[in-house]
C-alpha cells in the first residue's frame, strides 16, 4: 500500500498505528525553508497569544477596566480558536492546503490590525475573537503539511519544528511586544503581529507546497468526533494544559506584586519561559517518536511538580526564573498530542489536527478563569500555581484512561484475525511543479 505525497492518514484500526512507508518520501528540495515558512505563522500566532497576557496590565489601565475583566479579551481569543478550528477544518476540507494557509493568515493579520485600532473594550473583544478564528486551523494544516513531507518516524520532530515558531515567539516575539507595549503603547504590539502575519503570507506563497484542491468529505471529517480516543486526547490537552496558562496569564502581575521586580525586567522572565518551551519542543519529541503516550504522561507529572513549586519560588527572582523555565518546557505536550490525534483520527486528519488547538485554547480559557477565581477569593497571586497543578493532575488522570484504552485496543488487535487492509484513500496530490522531490527527506531535517 502506498500513500500520496500529502497523505498523512492511513486506515487506523488501533492506537498502535502501522503507517505505510512510501518508497520515496516526498519533500521539497528545501525542506527546512518550508518548515521555516510554516513556523513563521506560528511565531506570529504565539506572539499575539502570549503577548496579550503580558500586556494585560497595560491595556487594562488604558481602557479603564480591572485586570480580571481585561482577561476576558484573552478568553475571547481562546473562544475564537475553539470555535474556528473545527468549523474551518470542516468547511475547508475541499480546498487546497496552501490556499487555506494563505487565507487564514490574511484573516489573522486583519484581526490583529483591528485589535490595534479598537476604540473601546467591546471592540477589542470582537477583534480578539476574529484573531482567534484562524489560529487552530492554521496550526492543524501546517502540522499535516509538515508530517506529510518526512518519513513516519520523524513526524513528531517535524511537527515540533513547526511549533518552534510558537515557542520561539515566547523568546523573541513576546518580550519584544512587551517592550514595545511599555515604550510606545500596547496597540503597537498588535500592529507588529499584523506585520508578522503578512510576512507569513508572503513566505507561504513562495515556499509552501502547491497541492490541488482537497478531496476530503466534510462529513467524513466530522466522523472523528465519534472516536472515544480522539475525545480522550483532546481532554488531556484541554485540562492538562490549563495549568500552564493559569500561571502565565498572571505572571507579569505576580512579578510586580510578589517578586517585587521592576516592570522593565518582565521581558527577561518571559524570555526564560520561551527558552524552556523552545528547548522542550526541540528535544522532547525525540522521545515521543519512540514512546508517544508515556512521554505525554511524564510531561503532565513534570508540569504538576513545577506548578506546585511556583508559590515557593515566587519570592526569589532566581528560583522563579528556574521554575518558569520548567513550566515552559511542558509546552512540548502540544506537539505530542498533535501526533497522537493523527494516529487515532483515521481519515479525519484535518479536523483532528485543528481540534488539538481547540483543546489547547480551551485550556487557555479555563486556566486564567480558575486562576482569576482563586485571586478574587483572596488566595493571592501565587495561588495560580496550585490551581495549575490541580489541572495538570486532572489531565494526567485522563491520560491514564487513554493509556489503558490504548493497551486494551492493542491487545485486542494482537489476538484478532488478520484482515485485508482497505486501500488508503489518497490525499490531494501536489501540483506538477512540486512533484520533483529528492531522497533528502530520508535524512534528518536541518
Amino acid at each position: 500500500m502506498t500513500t500520496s505525497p500529502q497523505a498523512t492518514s492511513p486506515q487506523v484500526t488501533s492506537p498502535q498505528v502501522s503507517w505505510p512507508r512510501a518508497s520515496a518520501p516526498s519533500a521539497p528540495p528545501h525542506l527546512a525553508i518550508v518548515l521555516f515558512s510554516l513556523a513563521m505563522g506560528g511565531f506570529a500566532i504565539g506572539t499575539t497569544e502570549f503577548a496579550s497576557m503580558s500586556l494585560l496590565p497595560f491595556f487594562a489601565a488604558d481602557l479603564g477596566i480591572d485586570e480580571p475583566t481585561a482577561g476576558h479579551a484573552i478568553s475571547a481569543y481562546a473562544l475564537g480558536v475553539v470555535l474556528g478550528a473545527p468549523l474551518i477544518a470542516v468547511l475547508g476540507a475541499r480546498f487546497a492546503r496552501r490556499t487555506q494557509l494563505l487565507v487564514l493568515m490574511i484573516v489573522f493579520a486583519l484581526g490583529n490590525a483591528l485589535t490595534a485600532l479598537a476604540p473601546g473594550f467591546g471592540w477589542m473583544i470582537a477583534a480578539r475573537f476574529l484573531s482567534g478564528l484562524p489560529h487552530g486551523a492554521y496550526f492543524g494544516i501546517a502540522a499535516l503539511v509538515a508530517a506529510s513531507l518526512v518519513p513516519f518516524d520523524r513526524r513528531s520532530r517535524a511537527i515540533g519544528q513547526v511549533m518552534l515558531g510558537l515557542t520561539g515567539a515566547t523568546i523573541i516575539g513576546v518580550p519584544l511586544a512587551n517592550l514595545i507595549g511599555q515604550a510606545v503603547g500596547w496597540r503597537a504590539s498588535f500592529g507588529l503581529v499584523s506585520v508578522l502575519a503578512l510576512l507569513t503570507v508572503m513566505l507561504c506563497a513562495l515556499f509552501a507546497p502547491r497541492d490541488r484542491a482537497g478531496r476530503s468529505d466534510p462529513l467524513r471529517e466530522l466522523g472523528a468526533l465519534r472516536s472515544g480516543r480522539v475525545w480522550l486526547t483532546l481532554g488531556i490537552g484541554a485540562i492538562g494544559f490549563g495549568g500552564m496558562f493559569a500561571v502565565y496569564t498572571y505572571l507579569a502581575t505576580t512579578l510586580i506584586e510578589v517578586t517585587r521586580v521592576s516592570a522593565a525586567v518582565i521581558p527577561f522572565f518571559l524570555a526564560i519561559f520561551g527558552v524552556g518551551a523552545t528547548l522542550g519542543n526541540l528535544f522532547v519529541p525525540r522521545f515521543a517518536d519512540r514512546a508517544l503516550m508515556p512521554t505525554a504522561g511524564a510531561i503532565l507529572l513534570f508540569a504538576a511538580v513545577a506548578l506546585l513549586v511556583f508559590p515557593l519560588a515566587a519570592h526569589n527572582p532566581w528560583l522563579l526564573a528556574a521554575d518558569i523555565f520548567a513550566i515552559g518546557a511542558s509546552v512540548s505536550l502540544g506537539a505530542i498530542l498533535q501526533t497522537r490525534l493523527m494516529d487515532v483520527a483515521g481519515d479525519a486528519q484535518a479536523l483532528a489536527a485543528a481540534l488539538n488547538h481547540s483543546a489547547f485554547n480551551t485550556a487557555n480559557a479555563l486556566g486564567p478563569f480558575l486562576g482569576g477565581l482563586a485571586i478574587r477569593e483572596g488566595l493571592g497571586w501565587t495561588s495560580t500555581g496550585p490551581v495549575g497543578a490541580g489541572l495538570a493532575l486532572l489531565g494526567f488522570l485522563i491520560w491514564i484512561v487513554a493509556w489503558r484504552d490504548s493497551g486494551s485496543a492493542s491487545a485486542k488487535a494482537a489476538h484478532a484475525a488478520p484482515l485485508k487492509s482497505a486501500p488508503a484513500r489518497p490525499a490531494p496530490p501536489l501540483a506538477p511543479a512540486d512533484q520533483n522531490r529528492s531522497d533528502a527527506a530520508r535524512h534528518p531535517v536541518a
Side-chain angles (χ1 to χ4, degrees):
M1 182 170 64
T2 60
T3 59
S4 68
Q6 289 285 347
T8 57
S9 58
Q11 298 294 326
V12 180
T13 57
S14 74
Q16 302 298 322
V17 181
S18 178
W19 283 55
R21 294 177 180 271
S23 58
S26 299
H30 303 291
L31 180 58
I33 296 178
V34 177
L35 295 179
F36 175 81
S37 301
L38 298 174
M40 179 56 69
F43 184 85
I45 290 173
T47 299
T48 196
E49 182 176 23
F50 289 95
S52 61
M53 301 177 199
S54 70
L55 292 170
L56 188 146
F58 305 105
F59 68 76
D62 184 48
L63 297 174
I65 53 178
D66 59 36
E67 292 185 23
T69 301
H72 295 166
I74 297 169
S75 297
Y77 180 91
L79 181 62
V81 181
V82 172
L83 297 179
L87 181 64
I88 295 171
V90 172
L91 295 179
R94 295 189 180 278
F95 293 92
R97 289 174 179 170
R98 179 176 178 274
T99 300
Q100 293 183 66
L101 291 172
L102 297 177
V103 172
L104 290 171
M105 272 293 108
I106 291 173
V107 174
F108 182 76
L110 175 63
N112 281 277
L114 292 175
T115 301
L117 299 173
F121 187 60
W123 284 99
M124 184 179 184
I125 289 286
R128 295 315 293 153
F129 178 79
L130 176 63
S131 301
L133 288 175
H135 175 132
Y138 176 86
F139 271 122
I141 296 168
L144 291 175
V145 172
S148 71
L149 298 176
V150 297
F152 165 79
D153 59 356
R154 299 193 182 278
R155 293 174 306 150
S156 293
R157 270 175 272 186
I159 294 171
Q161 286 173 329
V162 172
M163 295 295 289
L164 282 177
L166 186 144
T167 57
T170 58
I171 299 177
I172 302 173
V174 176
L176 178 61
N178 189 271
L179 286 172
I180 292 175
Q182 293 187 46
V184 182
W186 61 271
R187 297 178 186 274
S189 300
F190 290 104
L192 169 66
V193 173
S194 186
V195 172
L196 292 173
L198 293 176
L199 176 60
T200 303
V201 172
M202 182 185 70
L203 288 173
C204 287
L206 291 173
F207 302 115
R210 294 178 179 272
D211 57 317
R212 295 172 185 168
R215 298 177 183 174
S216 181
D217 183 355
L219 293 179
R220 187 180 66 182
E221 290 286 342
L222 289 172
L225 301 180
R226 295 195 298 267
S227 170
R229 289 195 289 271
V230 167
W231 283 108
L232 285 172
T233 306
L234 294 174
I236 293 171
I239 304 299
F241 251 132
M244 181 271 292
F245 284 112
V247 167
Y248 192 90
T249 299
Y250 302 100
L251 179 59
T253 306
T254 302
L255 286 165
I256 295 172
E257 299 294 334
V258 179
T259 317
R260 301 293 181 181
V261 301
S262 168
V265 302
I266 290 177
F268 167 77
F269 287 92
L270 299 178
I272 289 292
F273 175 90
V275 171
T278 301
L279 292 178
N281 262 333
L282 273 174
F283 295 107
V284 174
R286 297 175 181 269
F287 299 98
D289 278 328
R290 299 186 182 97
L292 189 69
M293 287 297 282
T295 304
I299 293 174
L300 287 166
L301 290 178
F302 176 81
V305 172
L307 291 163
L308 277 175
V309 171
F310 181 74
L312 303 175
H315 298 278
N316 184 296
W318 299 108
L319 291 178
L320 182 59
D323 192 52
I324 290 172
F325 176 90
I327 294 173
S330 69
V331 172
S332 58
L333 180 64
I336 296 171
L337 295 181
Q338 187 83 76
T339 306
R340 168 69 175 174
L341 282 169
M342 292 167 64
D343 285 346
V344 300
D347 287 331
Q349 292 289 295
L351 179 60
L355 283 173
N356 186 45
H357 297 277
S358 289
F360 190 90
N361 280 272
T362 298
N364 192 359
L366 181 64
F369 173 74
L370 295 178
L373 283 181
I375 293 169
R376 287 193 177 198
E377 290 298 319
L379 299 179
W381 293 104
T382 60
S383 63
T384 56
V387 169
L391 289 171
L393 290 174
L394 284 175
F396 182 74
L397 292 178
I398 300 172
W399 174 88
I400 292 175
V401 177
W403 174 247
R404 294 184 65 181
D405 178 70
S406 298
S408 174
S410 299
K412 291 179 181 179
H415 291 87
L419 298 177
K420 183 178 180 180
S421 299
R425 183 167 181 169
L430 295 178
D434 287 302
Q435 288 179 347
N436 181 21
R437 305 305 190 200
S438 69
D439 290 334
R442 292 186 179 274
H443 301 290
V445 177

